[in-house]
């Protein structure tokens, strides 16, 4: 077996023990070490570091050319491998890289650990509905500890794409429609994944994606064109990326889409100008799967040669499965189109990351079968997943307080294709999660109720076909019970990547099943299991209780049962608007006023003839088993200067019979500005617990910087004038007051 060469040993020793030639420049020690390694690397080995391959046949994108991966690794031509996991499996491959390649540079293993590794948490859109930043951070931390124990160094998460269009299947993967909530969650996920020390064996490198504006695909069709103003890009789609970078995200992934005519993967404006220069991002940029090559299909690159040129010039440091850098960079160099420094810059960013992960010091530190067996599906992790799932559930309707149910109820009929379903409830992008570990809704209910309760089950129909042959059995089952719990929704593959839907009704014949069940006259509680907002208009009018449970992961059944039977009072709030109809899309709360805002019973105004302008369920909406009253909105001052801070307070009272959590939301409106501003913008929120009858004063502090926006010249500016403040329980139900930002000698400032 070819041993690592003497050169390689010297390089690794230099990198490991930090014995470096004294360098009087202001470079830090790591950079000096890396420079010394670079000097020993051949061009082929440098290009290897910027090349990432997927492990055999575990494709999360279009098929690539089959290669002999082990041989490529021995030849020093592979810097990263994705989709391989397992302490033993990664150890075998790392051993080849470290002991059989000339320089022994360790590989970085990446995987989509989006909402858990083995213990699966709610889909990210569900977690966002919790508005519980600490819980979301803990979820990411647990995912990181399990993935790291299985040999993973790098997750392709958090996905922070703002999504205003539920036709887009990847809405399930992000934090919904709002830039402020999205930014808070993006930072929390980065902190959770990376912790305070990337070399800690329980932390993994984050990769904030998909840069940028992937969620703005026209018509919600995945990979489709994105054409938005620069103000919308900076004001709506970039804030979560900026928050993730500010939180220390070590890598960024470019998106498939073009942005205003330029594919993001070839965009010097996005990558070099904004990310690397303006935001001072020091990590590395990886293309999404084959996205470099896809610049040809976009009609932006003539061939692979040009595609490689545009990508390296734009600042893409690693080629995921495009197999373009591995072939074209040397040609571009030989033709003097690029310099070796272009390649070195990318290699340095990648090597610096491998050093920060501790891979040079101990390439096998993440390959511990002992930790893998100890941590995966650890009971503490399952309990955390159950808690996160409970908090993610949104109570949309509860007519006559039909919920919570009594655990001693005589009989329940649990009906629907999602009732005794395991595989769909872990959702898309569920890493190494398995359906066999899922607690189904039926199992959760059975374990919750008294032994005397009769729990009946009927599937009723399939998720997505026209077969109604199971209806009869379902109706007969329903007739035997006091109450019906209908578990309906989408399969895991109906949301996620390449899963856009043009209709947003319950798929198949599920709506028909609900109508037939409704004819029995029994009270029905709908438990929705879905990866996106659906059109629930009929249901909202005819069904007394509706729980939005998203796709909750391994602990689904226990979490939903905790809520159904009152062991947890639902506290979730929608992170995304639910439309009346597909024709209303895109509908979102932070819309503009227009010159003819909607006025009831007025013809010439911006409205529909057949539905309201407002969504069926608005951003920030969610009920509780108790009620809350807001009163006495006060400001500490009603005129402020640009250097002042503003303190807004409000009283919240729990006016119901049971303790509950409420997420208080603060929005602003810049009433008149040099560019029109949204009618509301979320700027703060707080989730608090109130006992029955308890009243609290809650305060928020704002600074003038919270009032700014990107103006016509693309400068972040704060303009004097009248502002509104809204505080309330959701984006439509608020108290409001005004204040004035006084003129000042304020110049346009760059944020
Ligand atoms: C996919 C996705 C991206 C993922 C990558 C690796 O195509 O777009 O989100 O991280 O490939 O699986």
């Amino acid at each position: 077996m070819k041993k690592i060469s003497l050169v390689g040993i010297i390089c690794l020793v230099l990198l490991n023990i930090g014995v470096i030639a004294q360098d009087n420049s202001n470079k830090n020690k790591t950079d000096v070490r890396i420079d010394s390694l670079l000097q020993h690397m051949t061009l082929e080995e440098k290009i290897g570091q910027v090349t990432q391959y997927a492990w055999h046949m575990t494709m999360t994108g279009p098929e690539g050319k089959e290669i002999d991966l082990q041989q490529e690794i021995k030849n020093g031509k592979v810097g990263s491998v994705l989709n391989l996991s397992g302490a033993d499996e990664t150890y075998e491959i790392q051993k080849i890289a470290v002991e059989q390649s000339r320089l022994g540079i360790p590989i970085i293993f990446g995987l989509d650990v989006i909402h858990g590794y083995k213990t699966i948490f709610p889909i990210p859109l569900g977690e966002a509905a919790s508005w519980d930043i600490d819980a979301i951070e803990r979820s990411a931390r647990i995912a990181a500890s399990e993935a790291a124990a299985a040999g993973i160094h790098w997750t392709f998460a958090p996905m922070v794409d703002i999504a205003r269009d539920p036709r887009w299947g990847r809405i399930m993967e992000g934090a919904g429609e709002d830039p402020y909530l999205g930014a808070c969650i993006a930072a929390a996920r980065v902190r959770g994944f990376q912790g305070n020390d990337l070399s800690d064996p329980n932390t993994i490198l984050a990769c904030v994606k998909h840069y940028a504006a992937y969620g703005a695909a026209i018509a919600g069709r995945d990979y489709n064109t994105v054409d938005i103003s620069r103000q919308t890009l900076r004001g709506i789609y970039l804030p979560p990326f900026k928050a993730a970078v500010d939180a220390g995200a070590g890598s960024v992934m470019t998106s498939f889409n073009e942005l205003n005519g330029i594919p993001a993967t070839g965009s010097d404006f996005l990558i070099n100008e904004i990310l690397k220069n303006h935001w001072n991002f020091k990590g590395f940029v990886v293309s999404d799967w084959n996205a470099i090559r896809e610049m040809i299909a976009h009609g932006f690159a003539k061939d692979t040669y040009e595609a490689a040129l545009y990508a390296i010039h734009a600042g893409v440091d690693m080629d995921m499965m495009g197999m373009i850098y591995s072939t074209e960079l040397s040609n571009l160099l030989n033709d003097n189109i690029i310099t070796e420094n272009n390649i070195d810059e990318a290699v340095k960013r990648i090597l610096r990351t491998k050093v920060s992960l501790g891979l040079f010091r101990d390439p096998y530190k993440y390959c511990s079968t002992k930790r893998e067996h100890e941590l995966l599906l650890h009971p503490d992790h399952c309990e955390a997943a159950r808690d996160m799932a409970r908090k993610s559930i949104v109570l949309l309707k509860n007519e006559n307080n039909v919920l919570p149910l009594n655990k001693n109820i005589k009989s329940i009929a649990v009906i629907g294709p999602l009732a005794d379903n395991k595989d769909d409830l872990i959702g898309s992008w569920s890493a190494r999660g398995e359906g066999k570990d899922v607690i189904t809704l039926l199992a959760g209910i059975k374990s919750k109720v008294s032994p005397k309760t009769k729990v009946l089950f009927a599937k009723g129909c399939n998720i997505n076909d026209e077969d109604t042959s199971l209806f009869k059995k379902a109706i007969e089952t329903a007739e035997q019970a006091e109450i019906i719990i209908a578990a309906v929704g989408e399969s895991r593959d109906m949301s996620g990547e390449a899963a856009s839907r043009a209709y947003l009704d319950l798929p198949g014949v599920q709506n028909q099943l609900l109508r037939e069940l409704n004819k029995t006259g029994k009270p029905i509680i709908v438990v929705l299991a879905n990866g996106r907002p659906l059109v629930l208009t009929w249901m909202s009018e005819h069904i007394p209780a509706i729980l939005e449970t998203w796709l909750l992961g391994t602990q689904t059944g226990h979490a939903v049962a905790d809520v159904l039977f009152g062991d947890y009072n639902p506290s979730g709030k929608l992170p995304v608007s639910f439309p009346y109809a597909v024709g209303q899309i895109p509908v979102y709360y932070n819309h503009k006023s227009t010159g003819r805002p909607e006025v009831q019973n007025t013809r010439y105004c911006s409205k529909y003839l057949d539905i309201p302008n407002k969504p069926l369920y608005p951003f920030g909406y969610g009920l509780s088993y108790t009620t809350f009253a807001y009163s006495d909105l006060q400001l500490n001052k009603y005129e402020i200067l640009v250097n002042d801070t503003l303190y807004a307070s409000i009283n919240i009272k729990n006016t119901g019979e049971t303790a509950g959590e409420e997420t208080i939301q603060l929005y602003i409106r810049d009433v008149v500005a040099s560019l029109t501003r949204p009618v509301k913008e979320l700027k703060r929120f707080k989730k608090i617990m109130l006992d029955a009858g308890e009243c609290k004063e809650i305060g928020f502090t704002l600074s003038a910087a919270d009032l700014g926006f990107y103006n016509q010249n693309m400068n972040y500016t704060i303009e004097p004038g009248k502002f509104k403040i809204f505080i309330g329980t959701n984006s439509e139900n608020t108290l409001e007051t005004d204040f004035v930002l006084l003129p000042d000698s304020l110049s346009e400032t760059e944020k």
Side-chain angles (χ1 to χ4, degrees), residues 13 61 92 114 152 181 195 280 285 457 545 720:
V13 165
E92 286 312 313
I114 307 296
I152 297 301
L181 178 62
N280 197 28
V285 175
F457 164 70

Side-chain angles (χ1 to χ4, degrees), residues 60-61 82-83 112 156 170 173 209-210 214 253 256 288-289 320 429 497:
T60 44
L82 78 145
N83 292 346
D112 292 281
F156 305 123
R170 300 198 80 164
E173 210 175 328
K209 69 185 186 183
H210 303 82
Y214 180 28
M253 182 186 295
F256 294 117
D288 200 341
W289 187 292
M320 177 194 289
W429 295 114
E497 185 173 357

Side-chain angles (χ1 to χ4, degrees), residues 498-565:
S500 298
R501 291 183 62 200
Y503 295 97
L504 294 180
D505 306 296
L506 282 174
V509 294
Q510 296 182 69
N511 260 326
Q512 281 170 255
L513 174 66
L514 286 181
R515 290 168 193 266
E516 291 307 315
L517 291 172
N518 203 32
K519 290 176 187 170
T520 65
K522 306 270 182 181
I524 301 177
I525 295 147
V526 164
V527 173
L528 282 167
N530 47 306
R532 56 154 55 82
L534 296 175
V535 170
L536 306 175
T537 311
W538 177 86
M539 195 186 293
S540 69
E541 292 160 6
H542 297 88
I543 301 292
I546 306 170
L547 277 180
E548 174 52 79
T549 71
W550 315 104
L551 296 171
L552 289 175
T554 310
Q555 290 289 308
T556 296
H558 288 325
V560 177
D562 289 342
V563 170
L564 284 172
F565 294 91

Side-chain angles (χ1 to χ4, degrees), residues 8 46-47 100 171 181 200 244 310 328 404 418-419 438 551 580 695:
K46 291 179 181 177
I47 293 173
Q100 297 184 45
I171 195 169
L181 178 62
D200 180 319
Y310 292 145
E328 297 294 2
L418 276 302
V438 168
L551 296 171
Y580 270 96
C695 183

